[in-house]
Every structure is written in C-alpha cells, then in structure tokens.
Amino acid sequence: MGMLGVVVIALFLALALMRVPVWIALLVPAALYTLLMGRPIVFPATNMVRALDSFTLLAIPLFIYVGSLMNHGEVTEKIFDFADSIVGHYTGGMAQVNIVTSLIFSGISGSALADIGGVGRVLIESMEDADYDSDFSAALTSASATVGPIFPPSIPLILYGIIAEVSVLSLLLAGALPAALTVMFLMVGTMVIAKHRGFPKNDDRASLKEIVRSFALAFPALFTPVVLIWGMLTGLFSPTEAAGVTVAYILVINTFVYRITDFKYIWKAALETAETTGTIVIILAAANVFSFVLSVENIDTVFAETMFAVSTNPVVVLILVNIVLLVLGLFLDPIAALVMMTPIVVPTLVEVGVDPVHIGVIMVFNLMLGLLTPPLGLSVYLSADIADQPVANVFRETKPFYVILLAALLVITYYPPLTLGILEFA
C-alpha cells in the first residue's frame, strides 16, 4: 500500500470520527484518490451506478416494503399477542415476549432497524406497562433486534451474497439456526437477569384455547417466511422474485384476512421504503467506490499478510478477524463496513479453509453488534428515542446483552455445522 492509500484511509477515518454522513466520508476520499491518480472525475459516478446494477438488489426495497406494510397493518399486534400466549408466563415474561416477537418479525422485515421501527414501540410500551424499567426495555429491544439481520429474509446477507458472489439462498438458509441460537441465549440470559433484578412475572398462563386463538390470528403473518423459503427451495422463484411474491402475499392477507380497507397505508409504507432504501443504496454505492480504492492499493493482500504474520491457524485467524470487525463496527455503519470488508476478509478466511457461506453469517452478525455500541449504536439511539430515555442509560443497560451476543458470536464462529448443516438438506 502506497502513501496515497494511507492518506485516503486516514481521511476517511477522520471524516467518520467527525460524524460526517457515512456516504460522504466514503465518497470524498475516493473521489480525491481518483483525481490524484489522473483518472476522469466521472469514474466514481460510473462505479456507483455499476454497484447498483443488480437484479438481486431489487430484493432489498421489496423486503423493506414488506416490513412497512406489516407495520402499518394490524399484524404487529397479532404477532405480539401470539408471542405473549406462548412465553409470557416465563420468568421475565414480557421480556421473553419481546425476544420472541423480534424473531418472528425479523422473518418478515430482514433488518434490525426495521424490526425496532416496526414493533419497537409496542414492545417497549408493553414492558413499561408491566413495570419494567424503560431503559432496560429499550436495551432489550435493541439487543433482540440483532436477530433480524441473520434470519431469513436478511438484507445484509443478500448484500454479502452479491459482493462475495455466494448463493443468496444458501446464505438465507444458513442464518436460520444461528438466529435461533441467539434467541435461546437471549432468553436464558434475560431469565437470569429477571430473577436477579426481581422483574415481574405473569402468573396467568394462557390456556390452550387462547394459544390456538392467538396462533390462528397470527398464522397468516407467521406463514410469510415459510412462503419465502419454500418458494426459493423449490426453485419457483429467485430471492428477488420471492420478495415480490411476499409483498403481494402481505397485501392479500391485509385486505382479505385482516380486513384493512383504508389503503392509504400502502402509500405511507411506500414512502418509508423509499427513504430507507435511499439511505442504504447511497451507502452501498459510495462504499463500492471506496472498495475500488482499497483493491487498487492491495489492501486485501496487506490484510492477509498481517493476519498470517500472526498465525495461519484458522482458530487464531478467525478471532483476529472478529476483533477487527468488532472495532470497525464501533465507528462504521454496518452496511458500509460489510461492502468494504467483504472483498478483504473473504479471500483471507477462504485461504485458511473457512466456507464463504459461514464467513457471511459471521461477518453480518459481528457487524450488527456495532448497532449496540457507542459512538454509533443506531439501534440503541432508535430504541432510546421510542422509550424517551437518555441514550447513556440505555447503553448501560445494553452491556449484559452485548456479552450474551458475543457468546453467541463465538459459537457461530467456531461451530460451522450450526451454519452449514442445514444446507445438506436443501
């Protein structure tokens, strides 16, 4: 890597630390590099357009639209009521409901922030009504939302698949069991915290009739990820087509099952989708330009040589890569970090025998932990805003959940069958 490469990376880090919008922090150094290298100024623009020229990328706004449509309908309450009926009687019952609801909703939205935006208010207010601390409620909501980015349909895994040229279907399937493991870890950890802090427990266990009734009302929504995965497994449609089918399915159940006749919500959901998608694609395009600079400067080779100078043992290399990604997640938007680091990390880990699908799940889950840590911590900021609590208090309450999620990351990293085993049956 030359001196110019060092300057570009230093400029990017400086802009990122100054809290300049991520896409600007990525694009300005890349454009400067282009000029100093004597290339046409249109080159960054061309690269940005080329980064978005992908049919598979159309799945992203469609899945975001699905989450928005569900949020504007009455589906959120149905999912919450069903989760309450099956786990509400456990120790820390309403906190357990929060975790299970996040898992179910993540099977529809595929995004941590969409998960919080969709069901966060319902979850936090319900926990507050059950006498849980507001800052704890916001922290748990932030932590449980990290399941979304690895549970199908996962927007970050779709992006990784495009960048790394790995089967998107394999990635979506591979994320299912790690997501379930993460939920189990969170539920056990929450039970311990609830006992220690004396959080309330709902002694009224739902009857079988109540469980069946809540399941019946929530079933059309619960069936959404089944439609998605079944269609892709049978080859009926690609991930992008699956997203389109899911949108149509949600519109049908909202209209004919949940009897929503005020169709203004469709337009409102479309506006929200356009805003969210715009944020994602501008970061994706800018990160692609910056990634080009990194490739010209042979950062992938430098990274591999640095890792291998320490050790060529896969166990050691994986822990080093995880540490690097965790540090990056403190300062970088997860999508930007994913786009930048995938071309760098994948060749290094493949060289020591790690499967690219496994790498994708590790990277996405790792980078999503950055949503819980300062100074970025977007999930925490969003949850704190919903709960109307000081961000510092919510960050403090997030600490035990971060430890729990780190434990889940270690299991996901060092037990490949958890991720890859399901692919043998696909």
Side-chain angles (χ1 to χ4, degrees):
M1 181 172 60
M3 181 57 66
L4 184 55
V6 173
V7 171
V8 167
I9 293 174
L11 178 58
F12 161 70
L13 292 175
L15 292 172
L17 291 173
M18 292 166 59
R19 306 299 295 272
V20 172
V22 175
W23 69 273
I24 295 178
L26 290 165
L27 192 57
V28 169
L32 177 63
Y33 181 89
T34 300
L35 288 175
L36 294 177
M37 290 294 289
R39 294 179 180 268
I41 190 59
V42 297
F43 186 76
T46 304
N47 258 16
M48 292 178 74
V49 172
R50 189 180 296 116
L52 303 179
D53 186 16
S54 169
F55 177 70
T56 308
L57 273 179
L58 289 174
I60 294 175
L62 289 172
F63 281 129
I64 293 172
Y65 193 38
V66 167
S68 294
L69 289 172
M70 298 283 272
N71 187 34
H72 282 281
E74 299 176 0
V75 180
T76 300
E77 288 76 10
K78 303 292 189 298
I79 292 174
F80 176 84
D81 290 342
F82 172 63
D84 189 20
S85 71
I86 58 175
V87 298
H89 59 281
Y90 291 156
T91 301
M94 197 53 65
Q96 306 289 6
V97 171
N98 184 315
I99 297 168
V100 173
T101 302
S102 289
L103 174 66
I104 296 172
F105 197 82
S106 69
I108 300 165
S109 67
S111 165
L113 296 181
D115 191 350
I116 296 171
V119 295
R121 188 170 300 280
V122 173
L123 296 176
I124 291 172
E125 290 179 354
S126 297
M127 289 183 68
E128 289 173 339
D129 291 342
D131 295 328
Y132 286 80
D133 297 335
S134 296
D135 46 6
F136 175 84
S137 303
L140 178 59
T141 301
S142 300
S144 63
T146 56
V147 175
I150 59 171
F151 193 72
S154 162
I155 291 173
L157 283 178
I158 292 173
L159 279 177
Y160 171 86
I162 295 169
I163 299 164
E165 298 182 350
V166 176
S167 167
V168 172
L169 175 57
S170 295
L171 287 164
L172 294 179
L173 291 174
L177 291 180
L181 173 82
T182 304
V183 166
M184 183 183 73
F185 275 35
L186 284 172
M187 291 184 73
V188 172
T190 298
M191 189 176 296
V192 173
I193 294 171
K195 284 183 177 180
H196 178 70
R197 298 176 60 170
F199 284 141
K201 175 183 177 182
N202 182 7
D203 293 323
D204 297 327
R205 184 167 188 163
S207 65
L208 180 60
K209 182 179 179 180
E210 290 172 329
I211 294 174
V212 171
R213 181 178 180 276
S214 64
F215 174 75
L217 290 172
F219 177 76
L222 298 175
F223 196 63
T224 303
V226 178
V227 172
L228 175 76
I229 298 299
W230 174 79
M232 290 190 291
L233 278 177
T234 56
L236 286 178
F237 32 74
S238 67
T240 303
E241 292 164 341
V245 169
T246 306
V247 170
Y249 175 76
I250 295 301
L251 289 173
V252 168
I253 66 171
N254 275 352
T255 303
F256 298 105
V257 178
Y258 297 122
R259 304 291 183 180
I260 301 174
T261 56
D262 184 358
F263 296 111
K264 291 180 181 179
Y265 82 96
I266 297 176
W267 176 245
K268 291 179 181 177
L271 291 177
E272 289 179 1
T273 300
E275 183 178 352
T276 304
T277 303
T279 302
I280 292 175
V281 297
I282 190 64
I283 292 174
L284 172 62
N288 185 71
V289 180
F290 194 81
S291 292
F292 173 78
V293 173
L294 298 181
S295 66
V296 171
E297 292 294 317
N298 295 317
I299 299 298
D300 54 339
T301 303
V302 174
F303 183 82
E305 290 175 349
T306 304
M307 294 294 108
F308 297 154
V310 177
S311 176
T312 56
N313 186 320
V315 174
V316 178
V317 175
L318 277 168
I319 198 68
L320 291 174
V321 168
N322 269 315
I323 291 171
V324 169
L325 294 177
L326 286 170
V327 172
L328 282 176
L330 296 175
F331 307 101
L332 274 183
D333 177 271
I335 297 299
L338 185 66
V339 175
M340 288 171 49
M341 294 304 295
T342 296
I344 297 172
V345 168
V346 172
T348 302
L349 291 181
V350 167
E351 193 167 337
V352 294
V354 185
D355 189 282
V357 173
H358 188 200
I359 297 170
V361 177
I362 294 171
M363 288 190 67
V364 168
F365 188 75
N366 184 309
L367 290 171
M368 292 306 144
L369 296 185
L371 294 173
L372 302 178
T373 52
L376 200 59
L378 296 178
S379 289
V380 175
Y381 278 97
L382 181 55
S383 294
D385 182 62
I386 293 173
D388 194 24
Q389 290 294 307
V391 175
N393 292 354
V394 180
F395 271 125
R396 184 183 62 250
E397 292 284 0
T398 305
K399 290 178 183 178
F401 298 116
Y402 189 78
V403 173
I404 293 169
L405 293 171
L406 280 178
L409 175 62
L410 285 174
V411 177
I412 292 169
T413 299
Y414 290 113
Y415 188 63
L418 180 71
T419 301
L420 304 176
I422 195 172
L423 301 183
E424 298 177 5
F425 303 98

